[in-house]
Amino acid sequence: MAISNKVEYGFAESPFGTIIVARTWDGVCDLQFLDHNRLETIHELAQRWGEYTPTTQSNTMAETVERAIFEGYDHPVPLDVKGTDFQKRVWHELRNIPIGTTVSYQEVAKRIGKPKAVRAVATAIGQNPVAMLIPCHRVVHADGTVGEYHWGCKLKKRLIEWEKQQVQKP
């Protein structure tokens, strides 16, 4: 089996609870907030990346990603995300949304040249495998309401407010 199929995963504590981070040889492939049992999360990861994918645990890797996201640690985080070309276009656009700001689903659709594909954009956003690294939480409804989030609206609001505070720090 090629080394790129191996998945390394680990856990780290963030200001918003425990996260699980997984990576292949090429980059981070999964990042989730743990809102339920760790074993269930690892099982979900195994289903996404293949039942027989060899895995190892490295909390050091996960802690490095946590510092890059939440502590401003200047460390590039390469990604290895799997998706359709459309999903990848949406996810790429999400990475262009500056920290501390939000845009609407309609705006994301316009930015990728598909202004009528708002529902497809929302679906692609919902399938983002790497929370925070592809900042899907920065996309809200046109009326300013936060909309859905895999880990709940309360966490999405907290993340948006936290990022606004980070931008305001000297």
Side-chain angles (χ1 to χ4, degrees):
M1 182 172 280
I3 194 164
S4 64
N5 290 335
K6 183 176 179 181
V7 175
E8 179 180 80
Y9 70 92
F11 303 94
E13 292 304 318
S14 81
F16 302 96
T18 305
I19 58 172
I20 182 172
V21 181
R23 74 175 180 113
T24 65
W25 182 259
D26 296 325
V28 173
C29 60
D30 208 297
L31 190 156
Q32 299 183 46
F33 291 96
L34 285 180
D35 58 354
H36 55 284
N37 184 297
R38 284 183 183 205
L39 290 177
E40 286 180 28
T41 302
I42 294 168
H43 179 70
E44 289 171 11
L45 176 69
Q47 286 181 324
R48 267 197 299 283
W49 288 90
E51 186 175 344
Y52 300 107
T53 300
T55 61
T56 58
Q57 186 172 351
S58 170
N59 290 346
T60 301
M61 176 273 305
E63 290 162 358
T64 299
V65 172
E66 184 275 333
R67 286 193 303 273
I69 296 170
F70 297 106
E71 299 174 23
Y73 180 62
D74 189 21
H75 184 78
V77 180
L79 300 180
D80 182 17
V81 292
K82 307 290 186 234
T84 66
D85 289 341
F86 181 80
Q87 288 171 324
K88 288 179 182 180
R89 280 178 58 195
V90 171
W91 298 339
H92 176 78
E93 187 55 43
L94 298 184
R95 294 186 83 186
N96 293 326
I97 303 169
I99 186 171
T101 63
T102 59
V103 300
S104 70
Y105 293 93
Q106 180 68 50
E107 180 61 27
V108 174
K110 286 179 188 174
R111 289 181 182 185
I112 66 163
K114 301 283 186 184
K116 295 185 182 201
V118 177
R119 284 186 184 216
V121 164
T123 299
I125 290 170
Q127 294 170 338
N128 169 23
V130 288
M132 300 299 291
L133 293 173
I134 296 175
C136 56
H137 63 282
R138 295 181 190 157
V139 184
V140 298
H141 291 289
D143 66 3
T145 57
V146 295
E148 298 299 317
Y149 192 55
H150 182 79
W151 299 278
C153 297
K154 288 181 183 178
L155 179 57
K156 186 173 181 176
K157 287 178 187 177
R158 288 177 54 211
L159 291 170
I160 291 168
E161 288 305 314
W162 179 81
E163 285 189 342
K164 287 179 183 176
Q165 292 172 0
Q166 299 309 302
V167 171
Q168 295 172 355
K169 285 184 176 180

